[in-house]
Amino acid sequence: MTDDLVLRIDGTQPLSAEAVAAVGAVCDSAEDGDSGGRLIVEVTGAPEGPWPSDLTVSLVSKWERVLRRLERLPATVIAVADGECGGLALDALLATDYRIATESVRLRLPVGDGATWPGMALYRLAHQGANAAAIRRAVLFGAPVEAGDALALQLIDEVTGDATSALAAAAEVASTFSGTELAIRRQLMFDASTTSFEEALGVHLAACDRALRRASSGAAS
């Protein structure tokens, strides 16, 4: 997996311009085709204490936008989560395609000033975890989502005692898929819950046409 890009996110650290830049830089590399079709995101740690005094909505907006960019990359984005996972780590985890967790993982929203942080991790937890009681407790009261619950709610794809082997297996599966084509399917999947059949049909037919043209081109060569 020497061609893989790797992004490491420490959830104990506060949001900063450097964190935004680090994610932006790895997105640049993935979009330039430097990833071999894969990006590995290693996440761990969760913040403690109040919100940083210098945190601004402008910085939060930049962070959320760069995570959205991560979520739409023309590459398979595989996360490996370990231990407590909150703050920046949880944000990044929930924006990935395939999520591997160690048995010690606990997902939790940061809590400060008597409330949970209302960023887009809250949105992704609610959107991806539906109306489960564990998600409601996490969103409202900051209760951690243990590894077993996270797996049952499909917030993560597998819990393992051997993250290295699990990552190698997931990367092997991902290696057979085109990053650009994966990005198209991912967007179709994202749009499916908010788009009517009639509205979606044209976009799906265009994707089918693209697939047929690619197959024809491959057969001709």
Side-chain angles (χ1 to χ4, degrees):
M1 295 190 295
T2 56
D3 293 331
D4 293 339
L5 291 169
V6 178
L7 173 66
R8 295 180 175 88
I9 301 288
D10 181 355
T12 66
Q13 297 301 306
L15 178 57
S16 64
E18 289 75 19
V20 174
V23 177
V26 82
C27 287
D28 286 342
S29 294
E31 289 167 351
D32 289 342
D34 296 338
S35 65
R38 295 185 297 259
L39 166 60
I40 311 304
V41 182
E42 298 176 353
V43 297
T44 188
E48 299 291 348
W51 318 133
S53 59
D54 58 349
L55 186 60
T56 66
V57 171
S58 174
L59 182 58
V60 173
S61 177
K62 291 176 182 177
W63 173 246
E64 299 292 5
R65 290 177 185 281
V66 81
L67 285 180
R68 187 59 165 162
R69 188 178 167 197
L70 175 71
E71 197 170 37
R72 294 178 168 181
L73 285 179
T76 304
V77 186
I78 303 172
V80 180
D82 182 42
E84 293 287 316
C85 188
L88 305 186
L90 180 60
D91 288 346
L93 173 69
L94 295 176
T96 60
D97 296 316
Y98 192 87
R99 304 160 192 175
I100 298 165
T102 66
E103 296 165 348
S104 64
V105 153
R106 286 161 41 109
L107 312 182
R108 61 183 179 89
L109 287 171
V111 175
D113 195 28
T116 55
W117 180 249
M120 292 302 286
L122 186 156
Y123 169 87
R124 288 188 174 94
L125 280 173
H127 186 71
Q128 297 173 22
N131 295 315
I135 298 301
R136 186 169 62 252
R137 292 191 297 270
V139 167
L140 297 180
F141 309 118
V145 181
E146 306 288 345
D149 285 335
L151 181 63
L153 292 169
Q154 301 179 22
L155 297 172
I156 55 178
D157 293 281
E158 62 176 301
V159 176
T160 181
D162 185 354
T164 300
S165 295
L167 175 58
E172 179 64 25
V173 171
S175 67
T176 63
F177 290 87
S178 160
T180 301
E181 296 303 309
L182 181 144
I184 292 172
R185 273 64 171 178
R186 186 197 293 127
Q187 191 59 50
L188 292 173
M189 180 178 66
F190 286 163
D191 293 342
S193 62
T194 58
T195 306
S196 71
F197 178 90
E198 290 74 16
E199 292 173 321
L201 180 59
V203 180
H204 281 260
L205 289 176
C208 291
D209 182 61
R210 176 184 171 90
L212 292 172
R213 290 175 182 275
R214 289 181 73 246
S216 176
S217 175
S221 62

